[in-house]
PDB file of all heavy atoms in Angstrom:
ATOM      1  N   TRP A 219       0.824  -1.217   0.000  1.00 98.00           N
ATOM      2  CA  TRP A 219       0.000   0.000   0.000  1.00 98.00           C
ATOM      3  C   TRP A 219       0.848   1.253   0.000  1.00 98.00           C
ATOM      4  O   TRP A 219       1.932   1.292   0.587  1.00 98.00           O
ATOM      5  CB  TRP A 219      -0.914   0.015   1.231  1.00 98.00           C
ATOM      6  CG  TRP A 219      -1.728  -1.228   1.377  1.00 98.00           C
ATOM      7  CD1 TRP A 219      -1.508  -2.268   2.234  1.00 98.00           C
ATOM      8  CD2 TRP A 219      -2.870  -1.596   0.591  1.00 98.00           C
ATOM      9  NE1 TRP A 219      -2.453  -3.243   2.046  1.00 98.00           N
ATOM     10  CE2 TRP A 219      -3.305  -2.865   1.049  1.00 98.00           C
ATOM     11  CE3 TRP A 219      -3.579  -0.969  -0.431  1.00 98.00           C
ATOM     12  CZ2 TRP A 219      -4.403  -3.515   0.509  1.00 98.00           C
ATOM     13  CZ3 TRP A 219      -4.679  -1.610  -0.973  1.00 98.00           C
ATOM     14  CH2 TRP A 219      -5.079  -2.871  -0.504  1.00 98.00           C
ATOM     15  N   ASN A 220       0.338   2.303  -0.627  1.00 97.00           N
ATOM     16  CA  ASN A 220       0.913   3.642  -0.545  1.00 97.00           C
ATOM     17  C   ASN A 220      -0.071   4.542   0.191  1.00 97.00           C
ATOM     18  O   ASN A 220      -1.287   4.494  -0.075  1.00 97.00           O
ATOM     19  CB  ASN A 220       1.148   4.235  -1.946  1.00 97.00           C
ATOM     20  CG  ASN A 220       2.522   3.883  -2.485  1.00 97.00           C
ATOM     21  OD1 ASN A 220       3.436   3.578  -1.727  1.00 97.00           O
ATOM     22  ND2 ASN A 220       2.661   3.936  -3.802  1.00 97.00           N
ATOM     23  N   PHE A 221       0.450   5.347   1.097  1.00 98.00           N
ATOM     24  CA  PHE A 221      -0.366   6.291   1.857  1.00 98.00           C
ATOM     25  C   PHE A 221      -0.128   7.678   1.269  1.00 98.00           C
ATOM     26  O   PHE A 221       0.995   8.175   1.304  1.00 98.00           O
ATOM     27  CB  PHE A 221       0.016   6.253   3.338  1.00 98.00           C
ATOM     28  CG  PHE A 221      -0.238   4.920   3.983  1.00 98.00           C
ATOM     29  CD1 PHE A 221       0.610   3.835   3.758  1.00 98.00           C
ATOM     30  CD2 PHE A 221      -1.334   4.733   4.810  1.00 98.00           C
ATOM     31  CE1 PHE A 221       0.365   2.596   4.337  1.00 98.00           C
ATOM     32  CE2 PHE A 221      -1.582   3.500   5.396  1.00 98.00           C
ATOM     33  CZ  PHE A 221      -0.730   2.436   5.158  1.00 98.00           C
ATOM     34  N   THR A 222      -1.156   8.287   0.702  1.00 97.00           N
ATOM     35  CA  THR A 222      -1.003   9.561   0.018  1.00 97.00           C
ATOM     36  C   THR A 222      -1.952  10.595   0.597  1.00 97.00           C
ATOM     37  O   THR A 222      -2.940  10.265   1.260  1.00 97.00           O
ATOM     38  CB  THR A 222      -1.276   9.412  -1.497  1.00 97.00           C
ATOM     39  OG1 THR A 222      -2.622   8.947  -1.690  1.00 97.00           O
ATOM     40  CG2 THR A 222      -0.312   8.412  -2.134  1.00 97.00           C
ATOM     41  N   THR A 223      -1.629  11.860   0.340  1.00 97.00           N
ATOM     42  CA  THR A 223      -2.457  12.987   0.780  1.00 97.00           C
ATOM     43  C   THR A 223      -2.619  13.951  -0.376  1.00 97.00           C
ATOM     44  O   THR A 223      -1.647  14.247  -1.073  1.00 97.00           O
ATOM     45  CB  THR A 223      -1.807  13.718   1.974  1.00 97.00           C
ATOM     46  OG1 THR A 223      -1.537  12.780   3.017  1.00 97.00           O
ATOM     47  CG2 THR A 223      -2.723  14.812   2.512  1.00 97.00           C
ATOM     48  N   GLU A 224      -3.852  14.410  -0.578  1.00 96.00           N
ATOM     49  CA  GLU A 224      -4.090  15.406  -1.623  1.00 96.00           C
ATOM     50  C   GLU A 224      -5.168  16.365  -1.140  1.00 96.00           C
ATOM     51  O   GLU A 224      -5.975  16.029  -0.258  1.00 96.00           O
ATOM     52  CB  GLU A 224      -4.493  14.748  -2.942  1.00 96.00           C
ATOM     53  CG  GLU A 224      -5.772  13.957  -2.914  1.00 96.00           C
ATOM     54  CD  GLU A 224      -6.109  13.334  -4.266  1.00 96.00           C
ATOM     55  OE1 GLU A 224      -5.200  12.888  -4.988  1.00 96.00           O
ATOM     56  OE2 GLU A 224      -7.317  13.292  -4.584  1.00 96.00           O
ATOM     57  N   PRO A 225      -5.216  17.572  -1.690  1.00 95.00           N
ATOM     58  CA  PRO A 225      -6.247  18.522  -1.261  1.00 95.00           C
ATOM     59  C   PRO A 225      -7.638  18.076  -1.705  1.00 95.00           C
ATOM     60  O   PRO A 225      -7.783  17.349  -2.688  1.00 95.00           O
ATOM     61  CB  PRO A 225      -5.834  19.829  -1.955  1.00 95.00           C
ATOM     62  CG  PRO A 225      -4.938  19.424  -3.085  1.00 95.00           C
ATOM     63  CD  PRO A 225      -4.275  18.157  -2.660  1.00 95.00           C
ATOM     64  N   VAL A 226      -8.640  18.500  -0.958  1.00 96.00           N
ATOM     65  CA  VAL A 226     -10.030  18.196  -1.286  1.00 96.00           C
ATOM     66  C   VAL A 226     -10.560  19.296  -2.203  1.00 96.00           C
ATOM     67  O   VAL A 226     -10.304  20.484  -1.979  1.00 96.00           O
ATOM     68  CB  VAL A 226     -10.883  18.101  -0.006  1.00 96.00           C
ATOM     69  CG1 VAL A 226     -12.351  17.871  -0.333  1.00 96.00           C
ATOM     70  CG2 VAL A 226     -10.360  16.972   0.879  1.00 96.00           C
ATOM     71  N   ALA A 227     -11.297  18.901  -3.249  1.00 94.00           N
ATOM     72  CA  ALA A 227     -11.841  19.861  -4.199  1.00 94.00           C
ATOM     73  C   ALA A 227     -13.353  19.992  -4.033  1.00 94.00           C
ATOM     74  O   ALA A 227     -14.029  19.072  -3.560  1.00 94.00           O
ATOM     75  CB  ALA A 227     -11.505  19.428  -5.629  1.00 94.00           C
ATOM     76  N   GLU A 228     -13.873  21.135  -4.435  1.00 95.00           N
ATOM     77  CA  GLU A 228     -15.317  21.365  -4.439  1.00 95.00           C
ATOM     78  C   GLU A 228     -15.951  20.542  -5.565  1.00 95.00           C
ATOM     79  O   GLU A 228     -15.345  20.372  -6.629  1.00 95.00           O
ATOM     80  CB  GLU A 228     -15.618  22.850  -4.685  1.00 95.00           C
ATOM     81  CG  GLU A 228     -15.167  23.773  -3.578  1.00 95.00           C
ATOM     82  CD  GLU A 228     -16.221  23.962  -2.503  1.00 95.00           C
ATOM     83  OE1 GLU A 228     -17.265  23.282  -2.568  1.00 95.00           O
ATOM     84  OE2 GLU A 228     -15.989  24.793  -1.601  1.00 95.00           O
ATOM     85  N   PRO A 229     -17.164  20.041  -5.375  1.00 96.00           N
ATOM     86  CA  PRO A 229     -17.826  19.317  -6.465  1.00 96.00           C
ATOM     87  C   PRO A 229     -18.231  20.253  -7.596  1.00 96.00           C
ATOM     88  O   PRO A 229     -18.592  21.413  -7.362  1.00 96.00           O
ATOM     89  CB  PRO A 229     -19.051  18.694  -5.789  1.00 96.00           C
ATOM     90  CG  PRO A 229     -19.313  19.553  -4.593  1.00 96.00           C
ATOM     91  CD  PRO A 229     -17.983  20.076  -4.147  1.00 96.00           C
ATOM     92  N   GLY A 230     -18.181  19.726  -8.832  1.00 95.00           N
ATOM     93  CA  GLY A 230     -18.660  20.469  -9.975  1.00 95.00           C
ATOM     94  C   GLY A 230     -20.154  20.265 -10.157  1.00 95.00           C
ATOM     95  O   GLY A 230     -20.805  19.610  -9.323  1.00 95.00           O
ATOM     96  N   PRO A 231     -20.728  20.807 -11.232  1.00 96.00           N
ATOM     97  CA  PRO A 231     -22.167  20.655 -11.478  1.00 96.00           C
ATOM     98  C   PRO A 231     -22.599  19.188 -11.459  1.00 96.00           C
ATOM     99  O   PRO A 231     -22.003  18.347 -12.136  1.00 96.00           O
ATOM    100  CB  PRO A 231     -22.350  21.257 -12.874  1.00 96.00           C
ATOM    101  CG  PRO A 231     -21.220  22.236 -13.003  1.00 96.00           C
ATOM    102  CD  PRO A 231     -20.075  21.619 -12.270  1.00 96.00           C
ATOM    103  N   GLY A 232     -23.599  18.862 -10.635  1.00 96.00           N
ATOM    104  CA  GLY A 232     -24.101  17.490 -10.537  1.00 96.00           C
ATOM    105  C   GLY A 232     -23.289  16.605  -9.615  1.00 96.00           C
ATOM    106  O   GLY A 232     -23.653  15.450  -9.371  1.00 96.00           O
ATOM    107  N   GLY A 233     -22.185  17.133  -9.081  1.00 97.00           N
ATOM    108  CA  GLY A 233     -21.291  16.330  -8.244  1.00 97.00           C
ATOM    109  C   GLY A 233     -21.620  16.423  -6.764  1.00 97.00           C
ATOM    110  O   GLY A 233     -22.378  17.294  -6.317  1.00 97.00           O
ATOM    111  N   VAL A 234     -21.016  15.510  -5.984  1.00 98.00           N
ATOM    112  CA  VAL A 234     -21.250  15.437  -4.542  1.00 98.00           C
ATOM    113  C   VAL A 234     -19.919  15.148  -3.838  1.00 98.00           C
ATOM    114  O   VAL A 234     -19.119  14.341  -4.324  1.00 98.00           O
ATOM    115  CB  VAL A 234     -22.254  14.307  -4.196  1.00 98.00           C
ATOM    116  CG1 VAL A 234     -22.524  14.258  -2.702  1.00 98.00           C
ATOM    117  CG2 VAL A 234     -23.564  14.479  -4.954  1.00 98.00           C
ATOM    118  N   LEU A 235     -19.683  15.818  -2.709  1.00 97.00           N
ATOM    119  CA  LEU A 235     -18.513  15.528  -1.878  1.00 97.00           C
ATOM    120  C   LEU A 235     -18.984  14.875  -0.586  1.00 97.00           C
ATOM    121  O   LEU A 235     -19.829  15.430   0.122  1.00 97.00           O
ATOM    122  CB  LEU A 235     -17.730  16.806  -1.569  1.00 97.00           C
ATOM    123  CG  LEU A 235     -16.497  16.626  -0.670  1.00 97.00           C
ATOM    124  CD1 LEU A 235     -15.423  15.777  -1.343  1.00 97.00           C
ATOM    125  CD2 LEU A 235     -15.921  17.998  -0.277  1.00 97.00           C
ATOM    126  N   VAL A 236     -18.441  13.696  -0.302  1.00 98.00           N
ATOM    127  CA  VAL A 236     -18.865  12.923   0.867  1.00 98.00           C
ATOM    128  C   VAL A 236     -17.699  12.757   1.841  1.00 98.00           C
ATOM    129  O   VAL A 236     -16.575  12.421   1.430  1.00 98.00           O
ATOM    130  CB  VAL A 236     -19.371  11.520   0.438  1.00 98.00           C
ATOM    131  CG1 VAL A 236     -19.803  10.704   1.657  1.00 98.00           C
ATOM    132  CG2 VAL A 236     -20.522  11.640  -0.555  1.00 98.00           C
ATOM    133  N   LYS A 237     -17.967  12.995   3.107  1.00 98.00           N
ATOM    134  CA  LYS A 237     -17.003  12.691   4.171  1.00 98.00           C
ATOM    135  C   LYS A 237     -17.232  11.252   4.595  1.00 98.00           C
ATOM    136  O   LYS A 237     -18.329  10.877   5.013  1.00 98.00           O
ATOM    137  CB  LYS A 237     -17.203  13.626   5.358  1.00 98.00           C
ATOM    138  CG  LYS A 237     -16.261  13.338   6.532  1.00 98.00           C
ATOM    139  CD  LYS A 237     -16.551  14.249   7.715  1.00 98.00           C
ATOM    140  CE  LYS A 237     -15.615  13.946   8.884  1.00 98.00           C
ATOM    141  NZ  LYS A 237     -15.887  14.821  10.047  1.00 98.00           N
ATOM    142  N   THR A 238     -16.200  10.421   4.480  1.00 98.00           N
ATOM    143  CA  THR A 238     -16.319   9.005   4.815  1.00 98.00           C
ATOM    144  C   THR A 238     -16.377   8.828   6.327  1.00 98.00           C
ATOM    145  O   THR A 238     -15.537   9.361   7.058  1.00 98.00           O
ATOM    146  CB  THR A 238     -15.113   8.223   4.260  1.00 98.00           C
ATOM    147  OG1 THR A 238     -15.001   8.467   2.863  1.00 98.00           O
ATOM    148  CG2 THR A 238     -15.261   6.734   4.511  1.00 98.00           C
ATOM    149  N   LEU A 239     -17.369   8.089   6.785  1.00 98.00           N
ATOM    150  CA  LEU A 239     -17.493   7.775   8.212  1.00 98.00           C
ATOM    151  C   LEU A 239     -17.083   6.329   8.497  1.00 98.00           C
ATOM    152  O   LEU A 239     -16.291   6.069   9.408  1.00 98.00           O
ATOM    153  CB  LEU A 239     -18.927   8.033   8.681  1.00 98.00           C
ATOM    154  CG  LEU A 239     -19.419   9.472   8.533  1.00 98.00           C
ATOM    155  CD1 LEU A 239     -20.890   9.573   8.933  1.00 98.00           C
ATOM    156  CD2 LEU A 239     -18.568  10.437   9.364  1.00 98.00           C
ATOM    157  N   TYR A 240     -17.620   5.396   7.721  1.00 98.00           N
ATOM    158  CA  TYR A 240     -17.323   3.972   7.917  1.00 98.00           C
ATOM    159  C   TYR A 240     -17.090   3.309   6.562  1.00 98.00           C
ATOM    160  O   TYR A 240     -17.787   3.618   5.591  1.00 98.00           O
ATOM    161  CB  TYR A 240     -18.483   3.251   8.611  1.00 98.00           C
ATOM    162  CG  TYR A 240     -18.807   3.741   9.997  1.00 98.00           C
ATOM    163  CD1 TYR A 240     -19.818   4.685  10.198  1.00 98.00           C
ATOM    164  CD2 TYR A 240     -18.112   3.267  11.111  1.00 98.00           C
ATOM    165  CE1 TYR A 240     -20.137   5.134  11.475  1.00 98.00           C
ATOM    166  CE2 TYR A 240     -18.418   3.721  12.389  1.00 98.00           C
ATOM    167  CZ  TYR A 240     -19.425   4.643  12.568  1.00 98.00           C
ATOM    168  OH  TYR A 240     -19.727   5.087  13.828  1.00 98.00           O
ATOM    169  N   LEU A 241     -16.155   2.366   6.523  1.00 98.00           N
ATOM    170  CA  LEU A 241     -15.895   1.581   5.320  1.00 98.00           C
ATOM    171  C   LEU A 241     -16.142   0.102   5.596  1.00 98.00           C
ATOM    172  O   LEU A 241     -15.855  -0.396   6.686  1.00 98.00           O
ATOM    173  CB  LEU A 241     -14.452   1.760   4.837  1.00 98.00           C
ATOM    174  CG  LEU A 241     -14.092   3.133   4.267  1.00 98.00           C
ATOM    175  CD1 LEU A 241     -12.586   3.213   4.008  1.00 98.00           C
ATOM    176  CD2 LEU A 241     -14.874   3.419   2.989  1.00 98.00           C
ATOM    177  N   SER A 242     -16.652  -0.571   4.595  1.00 95.00           N
ATOM    178  CA  SER A 242     -16.890  -2.008   4.676  1.00 95.00           C
ATOM    179  C   SER A 242     -15.636  -2.749   4.233  1.00 95.00           C
ATOM    180  O   SER A 242     -15.123  -2.520   3.130  1.00 95.00           O
ATOM    181  CB  SER A 242     -18.065  -2.366   3.753  1.00 95.00           C
ATOM    182  OG  SER A 242     -18.263  -3.759   3.719  1.00 95.00           O
ATOM    183  N   LEU A 243     -15.123  -3.634   5.091  1.00 95.00           N
ATOM    184  CA  LEU A 243     -13.979  -4.479   4.727  1.00 95.00           C
ATOM    185  C   LEU A 243     -14.502  -5.893   4.489  1.00 95.00           C
ATOM    186  O   LEU A 243     -15.140  -6.484   5.355  1.00 95.00           O
ATOM    187  CB  LEU A 243     -12.910  -4.478   5.824  1.00 95.00           C
ATOM    188  CG  LEU A 243     -12.338  -3.113   6.211  1.00 95.00           C
ATOM    189  CD1 LEU A 243     -11.074  -3.289   7.053  1.00 95.00           C
ATOM    190  CD2 LEU A 243     -12.041  -2.239   4.997  1.00 95.00           C
ATOM    191  N   ASP A 244     -14.231  -6.418   3.299  1.00 90.00           N
ATOM    192  CA  ASP A 244     -14.836  -7.670   2.866  1.00 90.00           C
ATOM    193  C   ASP A 244     -13.805  -8.601   2.245  1.00 90.00           C
ATOM    194  O   ASP A 244     -12.844  -8.139   1.618  1.00 90.00           O
ATOM    195  CB  ASP A 244     -15.931  -7.385   1.831  1.00 90.00           C
ATOM    196  CG  ASP A 244     -17.030  -6.499   2.396  1.00 90.00           C
ATOM    197  OD1 ASP A 244     -17.800  -6.992   3.231  1.00 90.00           O
ATOM    198  OD2 ASP A 244     -17.096  -5.312   2.019  1.00 90.00           O
ATOM    199  N   PRO A 245     -14.002  -9.923   2.374  1.00 86.00           N
ATOM    200  CA  PRO A 245     -13.064 -10.875   1.763  1.00 86.00           C
ATOM    201  C   PRO A 245     -12.869 -10.656   0.260  1.00 86.00           C
ATOM    202  O   PRO A 245     -11.788 -10.892  -0.275  1.00 86.00           O
ATOM    203  CB  PRO A 245     -13.720 -12.231   2.038  1.00 86.00           C
ATOM    204  CG  PRO A 245     -14.542 -12.008   3.270  1.00 86.00           C
ATOM    205  CD  PRO A 245     -15.045 -10.605   3.167  1.00 86.00           C
ATOM    206  N   ALA A 246     -13.912 -10.194  -0.423  1.00 87.00           N
ATOM    207  CA  ALA A 246     -13.813  -9.982  -1.871  1.00 87.00           C
ATOM    208  C   ALA A 246     -12.710  -9.005  -2.233  1.00 87.00           C
ATOM    209  O   ALA A 246     -12.185  -9.037  -3.364  1.00 87.00           O
ATOM    210  CB  ALA A 246     -15.150  -9.479  -2.410  1.00 87.00           C
ATOM    211  N   MET A 247     -12.322  -8.137  -1.308  1.00 93.00           N
ATOM    212  CA  MET A 247     -11.275  -7.152  -1.598  1.00 93.00           C
ATOM    213  C   MET A 247      -9.974  -7.828  -2.007  1.00 93.00           C
ATOM    214  O   MET A 247      -9.209  -7.285  -2.805  1.00 93.00           O
ATOM    215  CB  MET A 247     -11.053  -6.244  -0.381  1.00 93.00           C
ATOM    216  CG  MET A 247     -12.267  -5.400  -0.029  1.00 93.00           C
ATOM    217  SD  MET A 247     -12.072  -4.546   1.557  1.00 93.00           S
ATOM    218  CE  MET A 247     -11.638  -2.909   0.984  1.00 93.00           C
ATOM    219  N   ARG A 248      -9.730  -9.015  -1.451  1.00 92.00           N
ATOM    220  CA  ARG A 248      -8.484  -9.717  -1.795  1.00 92.00           C
ATOM    221  C   ARG A 248      -8.461 -10.077  -3.280  1.00 92.00           C
ATOM    222  O   ARG A 248      -7.421  -9.955  -3.955  1.00 92.00           O
ATOM    223  CB  ARG A 248      -8.329 -10.980  -0.924  1.00 92.00           C
ATOM    224  CG  ARG A 248      -7.056 -11.768  -1.191  1.00 92.00           C
ATOM    225  CD  ARG A 248      -5.806 -10.939  -0.900  1.00 92.00           C
ATOM    226  NE  ARG A 248      -4.591 -11.633  -1.324  1.00 92.00           N
ATOM    227  CZ  ARG A 248      -4.096 -11.597  -2.563  1.00 92.00           C
ATOM    228  NH1 ARG A 248      -4.745 -10.919  -3.513  1.00 92.00           N
ATOM    229  NH2 ARG A 248      -2.992 -12.223  -2.856  1.00 92.00           N
TER     230      ARG A 248
END
């Protein structure tokens, strides 16, 4: 894995910006 950081951008027309609260970790990810 690489751990990266980038600035957050405003959404464009029709777009949405979501703050992640919880992520699902699943066997399929492998």
